[in-house]
Amino acid sequence: MDFTFLMQLLINGLVVGSIYALVATGFVIIFKSSSALNLAQGEFLMVGAYICLYLVLQHKVPFIAAFVITMLFSALLGIVIERTTLRPLLGSPVISVIMATLGLASVLRALLQIFFGVDTIPFPEIFPPEPVHIGPVPVSIGYLYSLCCVAVLLTALTAFFKYTKSGLAMRATASSRQTALSMGISVKKVFAMSWCIAAMVSAIGGILLGAIRGGVDMSLANMGLKVLPVVILGGMDSIAGAVLGGLIIGLLENLCGGYLDPLVGGGVKEVVPYIALVLILMVRPSGLLGSRRIERM
Amino acid sequence: AADTVKVGGLFDLTGATAEVGKPFLEGVRDAVTWMNNNGGVNGKKIELISVDYGYKTPEAVAAYKKFVEQDKVVMIEGWGSGDTEALKDQVTKDRIPYFSAGFTAHMNNPAKTPYNFFLGASYSDQVRAFLQFVKKDFKEKGKKPKVCFIYPNNGFGKSPIEAGKLYAKEIGIDVVDDQITPPTGFQDATTQLLNMQKQGADYAFIQNTVKWSAIILKDAKKLGLKTKFFLNNYGMTEQLPELAKEAAEGVYGMATTVPYGTNVPGMKKITDMHAKNHPKDSHNLFYVRGWTYALTWGEGLRIADKNKQLNGEGVKKALESMNNFDLGGLVQPVTYSGADHRSSTKSVVYVIKGGKLVKVEDIDVPRKKEWLGL
Amino acid sequence: MRERIALMIKADMGLFHSKKSLAATVSFLVCLMFVPVYGSSYVLDVVNRIGIAVIAALGLNILTGFTGLISLGNAAFMAIGAYSASWLAMRTGINFIFCIPVAGIITAALGMVVGIPSLRLRGLYLAMATLAAHFIVEFLAVHWESVTGGVAGLTISSPTVAGFALDSDRTVYYLIIPTAILSVLFVSNIFRTRVGRAFIAIRDQEMSAAVMGIDVFKYKLISFALSSFFAGVAGALMACQTRIITPENFPISIAIDSLAMIIIGGLCSVIGTIFGAVFLTALPEFLRLATTALAGSFPELIGKLASLKELVFGLLVILFLIFEPHGISAIWQRTKNRF
Amino acid sequence: MALSLNTQLSCHDIRLTFGGVTALDGVSFEVMDGEIFAIIGPNGAGKSSMLNCISGLYRPQQGEIKFDGLTIRDLPPHQRAKRGIARSFQNIALFRELSVIDNIMTGRHLSQRAGVISGGLFWGWAKCDEEHHRAVVEEIIESLGLQDIRRCAVGSLPYGRQKRVELARALAMEPRLLLLDEPMAGMNAAERDDMVGFILEANCRRKITVVMIEHDMGMVMDISDTVCVLDFGKRIALGSPEQIMNDPHVIKAYLGEDDGFF
Amino acid sequence: MLKVENIQVVYGDSMLVLKGPSLEVPEEGIVALLGANGAGKSTLIKAISGLLASEQGKIISGTVLFRGDNITGMAADDVVRRGIFHVIEGRRVFQELTVEENLAAGGYTRKDRAGFRSDLEFIYDFFPRLAERRRQSAGYLSGGEQQMLAIGRGLMARPQLLLLDEPSLGLAPLLVQEIFSLIRRINTERKTAILLVEQNAAIALSIADHAYVLENGAIAMSGKPEELNASGEVREFYLGISEHGERRGYKAMKEEMRSAFPAHRA
Ligand SMILES: Nc1ncnc2c1ncn2[C@@H]1O[C@H](COP(=O)(O)OP(=O)(O)OP(=O)(O)O)[C@@H](O)[C@H]1O
Ligand SMILES: Nc1ncnc2c1ncn2[C@@H]1O[C@H](COP(=O)(O)OP(=O)(O)OP(=O)(O)O)[C@@H](O)[C@H]1O
Ligand SMILES: [Mg+2]
Ligand SMILES: [Mg+2]
């Protein structure tokens, strides 16, 4: 019984963590090209989920097609946002860019509210409702999809950043924009590309989350804040870190929820990621897999 | 102008509770329009000044001050627990009746909060009704039923828990566990449910709003739990089966207002107004709840006006003179008195069957004096 | 020659660059004195909130603007200030007024504890440690019921000064606004002296600051302490103003608002902080009034108008950053130079 | 030449590695009170690393560093500054957002006393103190010819000017030992002349011991009293300029056969 | 090849830094640009390469022509694609990237893979220190190594016109000589034209075909190296040669100072 309980916690931690990892990846992509934190990440998730939902419910588009259209739309949205908001801010300090993403979050939320209202819209059942059993542990199919997505994205993005010219250009741009420009790297294109990719990755996350929760509403955006410790724990510039961080936080939350919550009367699950985060950062100041800051005179 | 009565309305249309705030506002507004078209307050028109405060307490406080000083309203239709708590002393001082859509029991004791009102059985009375139901429903001989409370860690969540535990003890039910969920923004309640399973709870009461309740129910279904779930009057809504799908089947819950479209005498005007004003919106019992609130204080305004006391204090008195005021079955008949602001102690139990809310029975909880404010 | 230099030094060091700006400031302060006489309690409520926001944002600007340590812990510090002042006043019966500075000091001490990770963490990683502090404080506020009253919070009776009860917006005004003015003065002074320069040096070039003899870690802690002192005082004043505090009074959005204030107002500008606080407190108020007025004529649109409010807010923030990345203080400088 | 024979700084058997890279490998030397000591060597030889060890930014894995006979090996940088060690950096490390004056004022940090509270009140002595140190700084500004840019933010100054501000900032500390990392890089002949003047003045008039890294051999050979040559982290020569100029190892590793350019 | 005509540049709307200098780089030529600190040399070549925009600088009048095309105010990345590469002053390496990635970034606009590899080999051959550190983060390199890397990136791009801003900064004497012979070699072998800003006037003049002296944002002098070498002013300010025709030494200056302030601490 107790072993099953542990197994349940572990497996649930991993699968829930995979969703965190997925969302965190979106953060990392933006960070890797512009050293900025995108605080509108949660809203990006929402946009993806709502668009897909809208296509399926209002226009009766089959799910796969809706998914593809959502991807295209998100890509476009990424580009539009880059054009209108980020590009004019090219020379500004990073903190201003972060603030702008906060403004962006407001705008996106408001637009979604205007178009889709504030009600929770039920998500069509795109995955079979029956869970699959891993050993004794039932797991929702949505989570399995998210595990797969994470695995695919991890390899694809890592390879992209490491081996492709565009990946190199992104990293160079994050390091120094002016120098990147002098190499002939189009900083604008790099930004457009990274926002494009980030928006698409987020849309995948949003759709999966919507499907898992069964409904989409404004509270989906909270995921953005929730995933921050994951990104930091893994290291802000590491895709693998985001994945590792996601899984660790997922596990940690579940283990603490399972074993500590009953002792102190709940709520530990919410703070534990942060406590762990601070402790780990004291040992590894740039997260688990993040690249160390270069301080050298 | 002298022929209007001003009422301030604090609503949440963009904040954390917007999805219930919006139909509630529409209900209140349609009811006001309806009343104005049907004689108003003895010929005077009600002017509802509605403000969206985005569920942010400081904005509510500021809006309140503007209502009182600039707009000179006679009463206020408030909303959540944050604004109600923050303003409870102020409204007493200013003598402004203040209705809220939160059902926390400690707002129904006029000795402490003489100007606060709400309409329907308090959260605590809903939990008591649940416990009575459990007592009756549990068939295994020689064992005490075990119940668990699942609630978020905030004022709303905690509000009925103490009352529930006391009453459970009183009638011989074991409360085996409390499971605390985050206030908002979780998508997984597995650990809480696993813990509950470990304790072997037979019944669980979820004190939460519908979308979070749905997530808990879905996880429970995934884990294959045998526990019987109960929801409060913000969880048991028409939306539950849509969000939780199969997981909602067989789930019980309390309602203080009838679901939209229920065949009761008071419903016709509501469906008519709805067809006229929002033909495209789908509506739910929160819309009905908005109506019931407005109709109730509309009656209060009418009595106060008849008594030539159309001011805060007069409206309070008028409300406190209501005895079994019937709204055509939309809500339990309303009774307020100067010593007791419990409009009713009766809850109606519903169950989800085939994706619909089906009424099971009424449960009346005794109106005990010592339960006032608890 | 010597005299010339001495004169130059005097001119450089003054807070006011001209007689005119001194006169303008003094007349502004005099006007402030009379606000309670003419303002309604609604106006006073807003002005009081602005005053509190100024103090809190000023604290954050010390840390983030001047020392370069991004913090998301401001709401937590305000909460600590609010709870400790209230708890003290309730437990010991000391006049609330005296509890305010004590709360500031308690917050400063805890702020230093939060600052310890700054020994090793930089930039956004440190920001995350302060965010952690926020959630830990929130957790304690909810669970440490004997001190914080749990989710129900604490209710404070209004303090009295020399027989006057500070129980209305009008009277609390005379507590909040002078405190805000003193805070502004204090912080402006700090940045004319070595402590302020040390903060900026650490922000710009930490290693070279260390080589100049600045004990970097110590000054980071001082910055944390000073910053949280002001946040704590702001929190205590907030308790005094609202007279009921619960964990829900200090959501993370307050910390984010503080950050927005100093960025939109102008990082490392004291006057900018004031502008930022005014802007971000008054704007939602203004937008709400506007949408309410509109909703009076188009009641059907109230839902959409409410969202519009948020849209306008977000757009304004973005436009501001795009057209004036250095904040309102830069605009202020330009207009001032024109005269 | 009236050089005292007191050792001011002694480095013994310093070894510094970064992962696999050995930056310094058993380097030892002594610097006399009041002398001008030059460290030269090819790029990547470990010269800057050596200065970093002395000023406390790097901590060598092995070896002993003594200043005035007391070990400073384990002191953090700010405490070494307190003992009287100041420095400039190879890649300029000024406080970019501060004005020239304020940059130099940070050099007075250790001599000033104002704390948070007295500073915040800015009353009485805190104010006097500030004025007094301001005057000292004005003097340095004048002697280094920085008057015209005193209120400029240093970030936008040309490279050469920034180097000069860096020197001023170090001098404001009134140090006993001044470490200069390529003080004349990026300057033309006339500016070099000025810089040499400033260094000599610091050394002779202000009695500051100077340890400097420079690639301008003409200048190094002319003004330094002792030269230390590093290559691949090892000391390959130490001696007077004349000795060094003729040392075959040094010629091979660093100077090159053709000395046409200096 | 490159023609700059009466170009005026301001920083931040107000500060006029370039007051209309003109300059020309012929095909396959090496042109040196000398000038005091703050004269505006870096500004001038930033104006050519389009990097001004990222520093709040603006060209307010004048034109820059490259092979007859007007490239005034063109975006920096487009300028690179046209074949002009700017090695920025002050060792601006991508600190977080490895040495090899830095070099690869230098060759970002190139299409030929084979040439890319052989150029990489060429650079490692020339700067063996870089080869040793190829997998290390560039931020940890010594100052001189970073300078090598910056120059190496310029070579990787194989531009038609290379703008070098103080390439010898912080390099050891031996290496300075090598770098300048390398510049010569690139110029003759690859037919790359070069515009060189350099403080080491002697060596710059020794390889240049033509030279300009910029003072206070305007061209004060220009001509063949020999002509400049002959000018008294250049000799005094840039070459450090005294009136008597020999290198000015500091020995005397030191002796003088030491005797003026004799009393050293005991
Ligand atoms: N980004 C900037 N903003 C404002 N002013 C600047 C900026 N960059 C340079 N300046 C100013 O422009 C002038 C010319 O600078 P520039 O860097 O072009 O000189 P330089 O000749 O290259 O000097 P050096 O030899 O020191 O490199 C200087 O007075 C400098 O202060
Ligand atoms: N923090 C560090 N991490 C890793 N390697 C380092 C670090 N600091 C220095 N190194 C390495 O140590 C060696 C010596 O560097 P140092 O900066 O001391 O050289 P230098 O003699 O000053 O050269 P230059 O004349 O080029 O400035 C270099 O190869 C460099 O890569
Ligand atoms: Mg070096
Ligand atoms: Mg230059």
Side-chain angles (χ1 to χ4, degrees), chain C residues 201 205 208-209 211-212, chain D residues 86-89 92-96 100 102-108 140 144 146 163-175 178:
Chain C
Q205 245 308 330
S208 119
V211 167
M212 303 312 294
Chain D
R87 71 169 291 175
S88 73
F89 294 89
I92 293 167
L94 287 168
F95 309 120
R96 293 182 62 86
V100 169
D102 282 335
N103 258 285
I104 303 174
M105 274 303 278
T106 54
R108 304 300 299 166
I140 292 171
L144 293 196
L146 295 170
K163 284 247 140 192
R164 209 184 269 197
V165 176
E166 236 192 353
L167 177 66
R169 187 180 66 174
L171 287 178
M173 292 171 72
E174 299 182 341
L178 180 60

Side-chain angles (χ1 to χ4, degrees), chain B residues 240-361:
Chain B
L240 188 71
E242 293 173 12
L243 294 176
K245 313 235 161 57
E246 285 96 292
E249 279 304 301
V251 168
Y252 291 85
M254 306 299 175
T256 48
T257 330
V258 296
Y260 180 76
T262 306
N263 188 13
V264 291
M267 188 58 74
K268 181 157 174 3
K269 54 179 177 286
I270 299 183
T271 42
D272 286 350
M273 279 298 275
H274 180 238
K276 207 169 103 206
N277 291 342
H278 321 272
K280 290 210 195 73
D281 292 14
S282 64
H283 268 306
N284 52 27
L285 52 77
F286 298 112
Y287 177 71
V288 179
R289 185 170 300 162
W291 271 84
T292 59
Y293 268 70
L295 292 176
T296 303
W297 47 251
E299 175 68 7
L301 292 175
R302 205 184 55 75
I303 300 171
D305 184 61
K306 212 173 69 194
N307 298 345
K308 304 258 172 302
Q309 271 197 310
L310 196 49
N311 54 26
E313 209 173 343
V315 174
K316 171 182 183 285
K317 278 212 190 103
L319 287 166
E320 285 170 351
S321 72
M322 284 183 177
N323 193 352
N324 268 322
F325 172 61
D326 186 20
L327 285 162
L330 296 172
V331 67
Q332 301 305 321
V334 182
T335 305
Y336 289 120
S337 75
D340 187 345
H341 280 189
R342 284 179 284 194
S343 75
S344 163
T345 51
K346 196 185 271 181
S347 309
V348 187
V349 179
Y350 281 80
V351 69
I352 306 274
K353 256 203 198 120
K356 292 269 172 311
L357 271 70
V358 179
K359 183 169 165 179
V360 181
E361 59 176 318

Side-chain angles (χ1 to χ4, degrees), chain A residues 1-2 5 8-9 12 16 19-20 113 118-120 122-123 125 129 131 138-140 143 209 211-215 217 219 222-223 226 254 257-258 262 265-266 269-270, chain B residues 13-15 18-19 22-23 153 179-180 182 184-192 194-195 197-198 211-212 214-215 218-219 221-224 239 242-246 282:
Chain A
M1 170 64 198
D2 253 340
F5 186 64
Q8 280 174 323
L9 291 178
N12 196 53
V16 172
I19 275 281
Y20 296 162
Q113 270 178 10
V118 287
D119 300 345
T120 307
F123 211 85
E125 291 206 328
V139 173
S140 313
Y143 282 122
L209 253 160
I212 290 169
R213 289 169 39 143
D217 67 359
S219 66
N222 294 350
M223 202 63 182
K226 172 122 208 199
N254 272 269
K269 221 173 148 179
E270 303 304 296
Chain B
L13 302 175
T14 52
E19 74 176 311
K22 192 171 143 248
N153 214 341
Q179 287 304 327
I180 311 241
T184 52
F186 61 98
Q187 94 279 3
D188 174 67
T190 309
T191 57
Q192 284 93 344
L194 284 174
N195 268 318
Q197 189 185 25
K198 244 169 128 181
K211 61 185 159 192
W212 310 119
I215 288 172
K218 286 185 86 171
D219 277 341
K221 163 104 177 158
K222 177 188 80 185
L223 294 171
Q239 274 222 298
E242 293 173 12
L243 294 176
K245 313 235 161 57
E246 285 96 292
S282 64

Side-chain angles (χ1 to χ4, degrees), chain C residues 195-330:
Chain C
V195 180
R197 274 194 299 270
F199 289 161
I200 300 176
I202 290 171
R203 178 194 69 194
D204 281 1
Q205 245 308 330
E206 198 173 311
M207 284 208 192
S208 119
V211 167
M212 303 312 294
I214 296 167
D215 185 342
V216 173
F217 184 48
K218 179 175 131 193
Y219 274 86
K220 280 185 183 173
L221 288 188
I222 292 182
S223 179
F224 263 101
L226 205 55
S227 159
S228 33
F229 176 83
F230 285 109
V233 168
L237 289 173
M238 193 162 142
C240 189
Q241 189 212 13
T242 60
R243 269 177 283 130
I244 171 159
I245 51 167
T246 68
E248 286 180 3
N249 285 30
F250 304 97
I252 185 68
S253 62
I254 290 211
I256 293 175
D257 281 350
S258 284
L259 258 183
M261 283 172 198
I262 62 174
I263 292 171
I264 288 176
L267 276 176
C268 51
S269 154
V270 172
I271 188 106
T273 309
I274 302 174
F275 287 132
V278 172
F279 184 76
L280 275 161
T281 317
L283 182 65
E285 218 49 53
F286 172 77
L287 289 176
R288 207 188 55 232
L289 290 183
T291 48
T292 310
L294 275 178
S297 352
F298 308 100
E300 278 314 304
L301 287 180
I302 181 165
K304 305 262 185 255
L305 283 172
S307 308
L308 209 58
K309 193 175 73 173
E310 190 151 358
L311 183 72
V312 172
F313 181 80
L315 278 179
L316 274 177
V317 168
I318 295 175
L319 290 178
F320 234 112
L321 292 166
I322 290 176
F323 290 106
E324 196 41 79
H326 298 286
I328 308 179
S329 67

Side-chain angles (χ1 to χ4, degrees), chain E residues 150-206:
Chain E
I151 296 171
R153 276 192 318 211
L155 301 185
M156 281 305 291
R158 281 225 174 214
Q160 292 154 32
L161 170 63
L162 187 59
L163 312 174
L164 289 167
D165 201 348
E166 308 206 9
S168 76
L169 186 80
L171 293 183
L174 200 56
L175 199 59
V176 173
Q177 292 168 41
E178 286 172 14
I179 294 261
F180 276 84
S181 59
L182 176 70
I183 293 174
R184 251 270 85 106
R185 222 172 102 192
I186 294 168
N187 175 249
T188 48
E189 285 176 10
R190 297 188 184 171
K191 314 268 179 262
T192 309
I194 285 163
L195 174 59
L196 177 69
V197 171
E198 181 53 58
Q199 293 293 3
N200 190 335
I203 198 166
L205 289 177
S206 79

